Amino acid sequence: KFLNIMVNKIKEYICMIFFVMSFNFPSCCVQKKVDSPFLSIVKLNEAEQCKNYKIAQKYIDVKSVYSSVGSEQPEVDWKAKIDFFYNLSKDKRFSNHFGYDNFDIYQIKRRNSAKVIFESKNKNESLIKLVYVLEKRNGIWVVVLIDSVTQKKF
């Protein structure tokens, strides 16, 4: 008899715990679409590394980025750059993977514009800073300018 009473009490406690958790469960486990300028850069870099032009074009305004550096054929030059780094990465001495852990990353976000700044942790590197400027277009952060700050070595 005592054992039955204890089993019933345990069942009551378990039911009470599930009841209380049912109120908290939806609020703690709601799925939310992650959207940030930094995430768009990660998606762009990943698509470029895999030579997935279609996906990459969602996250970059090729004409804007490459025209700003004097390209007369932005699409051709962009694809040539991707192909070059992709082919270079086949050699084990090189990689086309971006080393995010080598940078301090800052994000400045306004309504429909943002900057993501990658600042080298190693001050002896030739690349000191990489700046991505983005605009929000149709709900997606799109890179419109890429600028770099390099250190001159003599």
Side-chain angles (χ1 to χ4, degrees):
K1 184 141 178 127
F2 176 75
L3 188 60
N4 285 340
I5 293 172
M6 291 306 291
V7 168
N8 286 335
K9 288 287 184 190
I10 291 172
K11 286 180 182 177
E12 286 177 24
Y13 285 122
I14 291 172
C15 287
M16 191 173 4
I17 289 170
F18 281 117
F19 179 74
V20 170
M21 285 178 59
S22 69
F23 288 109
N24 292 330
F25 184 78
S27 64
C28 72
C29 298
V30 173
Q31 289 184 354
K32 183 180 177 187
K33 183 179 176 185
V34 178
D35 176 35
S36 74
F38 173 70
L39 186 56
S40 285
I41 293 168
V42 171
K43 289 178 179 180
L44 170 64
N45 287 337
E46 181 67 25
E48 287 182 343
Q49 289 165 5
C50 298
K51 283 182 58 171
N52 191 334
Y53 304 116
K54 188 176 180 181
I55 298 290
Q57 284 180 319
K58 291 180 183 179
Y59 302 103
I60 187 169
D61 181 335
V62 175
K63 188 175 181 181
S64 173
V65 171
Y66 282 81
S67 294
S68 70
V69 293
S71 173
E72 293 180 12
Q73 296 179 308
E75 187 88 17
V76 172
D77 292 341
W78 174 64
K79 286 183 177 179
K81 181 203 85 159
I82 291 172
D83 289 343
F84 173 77
F85 284 112
Y86 182 81
N87 291 329
L88 188 64
S89 71
K90 290 179 181 178
D91 185 328
K92 293 184 191 243
R93 294 175 292 170
F94 301 101
S95 172
N96 67 345
H97 293 285
F98 191 84
Y100 294 100
D101 56 333
N102 296 326
F103 295 90
D104 290 321
I105 303 168
Y106 305 94
Q107 179 174 279
I108 303 164
K109 185 173 153 184
R110 294 192 177 81
R111 238 178 210 192
N112 291 320
S113 65
K115 276 187 184 179
V116 178
I117 302 163
F118 294 83
E119 195 170 289
S120 178
K121 290 180 181 178
N122 183 352
K123 299 306 176 193
N124 293 325
E125 290 289 328
S126 60
L127 178 65
I128 298 172
K129 204 182 277 189
L130 192 58
V131 180
Y132 288 82
V133 178
L134 299 94
E135 291 178 359
K136 195 163 195 175
R137 299 178 181 172
N138 300 321
I140 297 174
W141 288 99
V142 177
V143 175
V144 295
L145 179 70
I146 302 172
D147 194 16
S148 61
V149 178
T150 57
Q151 169 172 277
K152 293 182 181 176
K153 293 189 177 186
F154 296 100

